[in-house]
Amino acid sequence: MDICWRHQANALGQFRYVPPFSLPVRLFVEAKFTEGKVQLSSVRNGHGVVHDINENMVTTRQGPGPSRPRPRHHYSYAVFSTAGFSRNAQEYALAHQISLVDLSMPDFAGPRELVRSVARDEYMEYDPDADAHPLPESVTEPLDRLAGVLSSRSTLGLVLAFPSAPFVPGLASEDLCAFVDYARAHPTHDINLGRVQDGNHSVWRVRPAADPGAYAMTFSLPKQVESWIRAQEEAVNERARSVKRRLLSTMTVYWLDGDHILTFQLRYAPVQLHQ
């Protein structure tokens, strides 16, 4: 789309679900597969894009009478990174409601390697100067392989959750079908949240409170949130509980099932300690 070209975004999509008392949501997506962390400039670009477009209301006048109404949308911006984000980028994103999706945690090693492999195969085989129409099989085969894995939505096991917070965690699972099957039967259900240390990463685990063995998903929080949790060793547990109560009390997951949008509500259920 022309709007993506002018604003240097990788993709622009529109949600089929329109939130109540809101405009239809369109999302710019910037994908970063780099060796180093995404820096502030990329996030600042996203802020400039959405403000430029959201504040530019266009109307068409036909003479002195009332102007013809035109459809409007609310534009948001998300940056996906396989290497994480710098501290300045994270702080800026939280302040300006730019969604950062960190795919650097160990759970996403499989998807990262899949993309790296496909990109390597395509780059090695494709000659951009060749005037070949349609594209040769050496190019389409790796892309078809990637599309097939993505469309299956089973081995990748990634869904986005939307909490009452200025960030969007990616929930990873080795068995995404187990989560979807359980959520279909229990669209709104209580969950347990546990925080564990996995090497250099702090990983949060999600399990259904009523049946912890039904599924398990993991995610990571923005690193500056984790830094705040760990800033005082004697207060780590209390700060983690505060994050659960204030930011992760409810997470919404949207699932596309054919032409239908399914909405799942995951509600944090604190474990009750009995005397």
Side-chain angles (χ1 to χ4, degrees):
M1 297 180 67
D2 178 62
I3 197 170
C4 291
W5 175 80
R6 286 187 288 111
H7 288 282
Q8 300 181 357
N10 292 130
L12 173 64
Q14 180 169 321
F15 287 93
R16 296 184 183 181
Y17 173 78
V18 180
F21 304 103
S22 179
L23 296 169
V25 176
R26 285 184 173 178
L27 178 68
F28 284 102
V29 174
E30 187 77 14
K32 298 292 187 181
F33 198 116
T34 58
E35 293 297 328
K37 296 180 179 180
V38 171
Q39 300 299 312
L40 175 60
S41 57
S42 296
V43 182
R44 185 181 284 129
N45 173 70
H47 177 258
V49 168
V50 293
H51 273 264
D52 179 26
I53 298 175
N54 283 329
E55 296 176 3
N56 184 21
M57 181 175 180
V58 180
T59 59
T60 301
R61 281 196 169 275
Q62 299 289 341
S67 61
R68 175 169 63 89
R70 298 176 63 90
R72 292 197 64 195
H73 302 85
H74 176 76
Y75 289 85
S76 297
Y77 203 96
V79 184
F80 289 69
S81 171
T82 58
F85 302 87
S86 70
R87 179 175 178 178
N88 288 342
Q90 294 177 63
E91 292 177 348
Y92 189 91
L94 284 177
H96 296 282
Q97 298 181 9
I98 303 297
S99 298
L100 303 183
V101 183
D102 189 345
L103 303 179
S104 66
M105 59 188 291
D107 304 69
F108 299 122
R112 290 196 304 270
E113 183 54 38
L114 173 64
V115 174
R116 182 182 289 108
S117 173
V118 170
R120 181 175 59 247
D121 292 345
E122 181 184 3
Y123 177 78
M124 292 178 63
E125 297 291 342
Y126 181 48
D127 180 5
D129 296 326
D131 187 16
H133 300 282
L135 292 174
E137 184 178 349
S138 60
V139 175
T140 60
E141 190 280 327
L143 295 177
D144 289 341
R145 175 159 47 94
L146 176 60
V149 175
L150 289 172
S151 63
S152 71
R153 294 193 293 188
S154 57
T155 54
L156 282 179
L158 169 66
V159 295
L160 300 182
F162 298 88
S164 300
F167 52 79
V168 179
L171 307 186
S173 174
E174 294 183 357
D175 187 357
L176 186 56
C177 293
F179 164 73
V180 175
D181 290 343
Y182 186 90
R184 283 178 183 274
H186 309 85
T188 299
H189 60 271
D190 292 340
I191 58 172
N192 294 330
L193 283 175
R195 178 178 173 273
V196 297
Q197 197 72 23
D198 184 6
N200 295 326
H201 293 263
S202 294
V203 178
W204 296 71
R205 289 199 173 97
V206 179
R207 295 182 185 274
D211 185 5
Y215 71 81
M217 307 185 83
T218 58
F219 66 95
S220 62
L221 292 181
K223 288 185 173 58
Q224 75 272 31
V225 177
E226 286 290 346
S227 295
W228 175 79
I229 293 175
R230 298 194 300 264
Q232 296 182 4
E233 184 176 352
E234 67 278 6
V236 166
N237 291 336
E238 179 56 37
R239 290 190 173 193
R241 286 192 292 268
S242 174
V243 168
K244 295 178 187 180
R245 293 192 303 265
R246 298 178 58 194
L247 302 181
L248 303 176
S249 59
T250 301
M251 293 189 287
T252 303
V253 174
Y254 299 98
W255 186 260
L256 181 61
D257 182 19
D259 293 330
H260 303 283
I261 300 292
L262 305 180
T263 303
F264 306 139
Q265 292 279 345
L266 314 182
R267 304 182 307 192
Y268 167 57
V271 177
Q272 299 296 326
L273 299 179
H274 300 283
Q275 299 294 334

